[in-house]
Amino acid sequence: MTPTPFPLPAFDDNYIWLLPAHGGRGAVVVDPGDAAPVLAAADAGGWRPQAVLLTHHHGDHIGGVAALRARWPDLHVVAPDDRRIPVASQRVGDGDRVEAAGHAFDVLAVPGHTVSHIAFHGHGLLFCGDTLFSLGCGRLFEGTPAQMLASLDRLAALPGDTLVCCGHEYTQSNAAFARAVDPDNPALARRSEEVTTLRNDSLPTLPVTLGDERACNPFLRVDAPAVRAAVAAWSGDGDLSRVGAFAALRRWKDGFRA
């Protein structure tokens, strides 16, 4: 049975993920960029974090760890092998397996947003940081289009019932871009309507199944004829390679204004 992850809002649009342990009052915390939501949830729920999982080095994903360690000095912190994350007590890479609060996760290297970005997959859950978003993907701050496309292909190959737990509430703005790219996609239209309803009620749009993302997310649909045609029309190049089409799609999104 898939355990239930809880998104804790932080900053303007971040999510810190809380995954309760099997029994007891422990939990796994993923990407705590801010300690305050975690401390508030711990005080309200009477639980304590047993482990922290970090997907990449950006401050809005790791900035709260020091304050959490100040309260729980023995807190175990799992992070990618990147010296820009000084708070790590265990560094992991592709193919490693992590045990945390009774849960086991496989570590997947997913470079693109950053060169050392990792994701954690297990128990039907995918904690993917800023690599894959609902209806979008992360910006390429350090990696190449080829790296990011390979990372997204890898994530897209996971089981369709996997729950995607990403690092930001970007779904509504991503939906506007996705519909500009793929306006005749009925699955996307349904997801977009669902997202609007959820956000109007101030509810999170996450987690979402990977199967839904494969049907709706243009960055997972680079090979779909409708997406390729839209990219060709936008770029003025009808002979783009697969990586070239992805790179053009990402550039289009970078400059898109709804």
Side-chain angles (χ1 to χ4, degrees), residues 59-258:
D60 62 325
H61 291 254
I62 71 171
V65 174
L68 297 180
R69 274 240 179 98
R71 180 162 175 181
W72 297 289
D74 61 343
L75 186 59
H76 188 67
V77 180
V78 181
D81 189 6
D82 188 326
R83 296 300 161 180
R84 293 172 293 185
I85 307 177
V87 293
S89 49
Q90 179 184 1
R91 298 188 185 277
V92 296
D94 191 55
D96 287 339
R97 192 164 176 83
V98 172
E99 302 281 342
H103 302 292
F105 298 97
D106 294 318
V107 177
L108 307 176
V110 285
H113 182 65
T114 69
V115 294
S116 62
H117 202 301
I118 59 175
F120 299 91
H121 174 245
H123 305 279
L125 304 174
L126 174 65
F127 296 105
C128 52
D130 288 359
T131 297
L132 173 64
F133 296 126
S134 183
L135 304 181
C137 74
R139 288 179 180 266
L140 278 66
F141 287 124
E142 297 176 5
T144 66
Q147 285 178 315
M148 180 62 103
L149 180 57
S151 294
L152 294 174
D153 285 343
R154 187 176 193 186
L155 297 183
L158 296 173
D161 60 355
T162 301
L163 293 180
V164 176
C165 305
C166 55
H168 291 270
E169 182 56 76
Y170 289 162
T171 317
Q172 195 160 32
S173 60
N174 285 344
F177 175 70
R179 296 202 71 176
V181 174
D182 198 7
D184 298 322
N185 182 335
L188 173 58
R190 289 191 295 271
R191 175 62 172 156
S192 182
E193 291 170 5
E194 174 189 60
V195 166
T196 298
T197 299
L198 289 168
R199 296 311 294 158
N200 285 345
D201 291 336
S202 299
L203 295 173
T205 64
L206 303 163
V208 61
T209 69
L210 186 58
D212 283 346
E213 287 301 303
R214 289 198 297 245
C216 301
N217 189 329
F219 292 98
L220 301 186
R221 290 170 46 77
V222 175
D223 299 316
V227 174
R228 291 298 292 265
V231 171
W234 178 83
S235 66
D237 187 346
D239 196 32
L240 290 168
S241 68
R242 188 169 187 267
V243 171
F246 173 79
L249 185 65
R250 185 61 255 187
R251 290 195 302 272
W252 185 2
K253 177 64 167 66
D254 289 344
F256 181 77
R257 298 294 180 268

Side-chain angles (χ1 to χ4, degrees), residues 4-63:
T4 301
F6 297 96
L8 302 178
F11 306 122
D12 292 333
D13 50 39
N14 280 71
Y15 282 135
I16 300 164
W17 289 92
L18 170 66
L19 182 64
H22 290 301
R25 304 300 297 174
V28 177
V29 178
V30 183
D31 284 353
D34 183 6
V38 180
L39 294 170
D43 290 340
W47 58 269
R48 61 156 292 174
Q50 293 177 301
V52 169
L53 307 181
L54 301 176
T55 62
H56 64 293
H57 75 276
H58 288 161
D60 62 325
H61 291 254
I62 71 171

